[in-house]
Amino acid sequence: MSISSTQAIPATSATPEHVAIIMDGNGRWASQRFMPRTAGHAKGVQSVRRAVETCGRMGVKYLTLFAFSSENWRRPAEEVTLLMRLFVQALEREVNRLKEQGVRLHVVGDLSAFEPRLQGLIQEAQAQTEYNDKLHLTIAANYGGRWDVLQATRKMLKANPAFALDPSLIDESALSDQLCMSWAPEPDLFIRTGGEQRISNFLIWQLAYTELYFTPCYWPDFDESELVKAFDWYAQRERRFGRTSAQVHAKK
Ligand code: IPE
Ligand code: IPE
Ligand code: MG
């Protein structure tokens, strides 16, 4: 695991190294136009493409997108089916573009719930981009922060049976090393489009010291200028990680 914000003070810069986005508001974007919710999801794919390109250009190293939560199965079956179809299509159509752009694709979440064809496409797309490292694009699909902490706990105990006998042996990194994005730094900037101000079970462990940005803009309308606005806002934050402002200034 890279530097933990609670164990050490991470180096930060004006441009976020890791951006995590809850892409929300597709349904409302479509409803406003008297279109089916699914039209909003289809349009949202274009915003994904745009966000990847812009982040690549701005020097972001990790972009993590929440595409489907562990609670989204509660939606009407037709909507879930359409979302899965869009995911399949995007994997089939976009991998070449990702390869050209130097993007490495990761998909995280409980993938065992997906149909075998989708699981196969995910494996293939990850393998095809595994030598890229300009930008790590992570799609969180059937992902839940609580699921992640639970699966990490199980893995940790399996790897270290002694922990069950003496839990005082457990430290923060023993657990965080097993989280499904243990290879990435914690997000610097979190963005949620669509106006809601909640985490909705996204990266609950990793967001401990992330700057949280909320915008009413619906995801299908989230373009380069909206992303730049979020980055400008981020650049103005003073990230103290528990210290005083004077201490932060003394460090500069
Ligand atoms: C986000 O948009 C996409 C997914 C959750 C898959 P929504 O579908 O949640 O759109 P709203 O929030 O209903 O407008
Ligand atoms: C969060 O959006 C999940 C994704 C964007 C994939 P939701 O629309 O599901 O969140 P809630 O239900 O409004 O909290
Ligand atoms: Mg929503």
Side-chain angles (χ1 to χ4, degrees), residues 13 17 26 79 86 104 139 160 172 181 187 211 222-223 231 239-240:
S13 60
E17 185 184 19
N26 292 349
E79 182 166 340
L86 281 175
R104 177 165 179 182
I139 305 293
N160 306 278
E172 197 194 286
M181 289 188 68
E211 299 296 328
F222 194 80
D223 58 12
F231 282 23
R239 303 193 69 192
R240 293 192 286 275

Side-chain angles (χ1 to χ4, degrees), residues 24-44:
D24 197 21
N26 292 349
R28 282 164 286 161
W29 180 91
S31 299
Q32 264 189 352
R33 289 163 176 76
F34 308 100
M35 282 152 61
R37 293 177 52 82
T38 49
H41 297 315
K43 185 79 180 166

Side-chain angles (χ1 to χ4, degrees), residues 166-200:
D166 184 1
S168 69
L169 294 173
I170 302 172
D171 62 10
E172 197 194 286
S173 66
L175 187 70
S176 62
D177 281 352
Q178 305 294 342
L179 291 170
C180 60
M181 289 188 68
S182 60
W183 41 268
E186 294 169 22
D188 300 294
L189 171 63
F190 160 99
I191 298 173
R192 182 172 186 143
T193 62
E196 308 299 347
Q197 303 195 0
R198 54 180 172 250
I199 303 293
S200 298

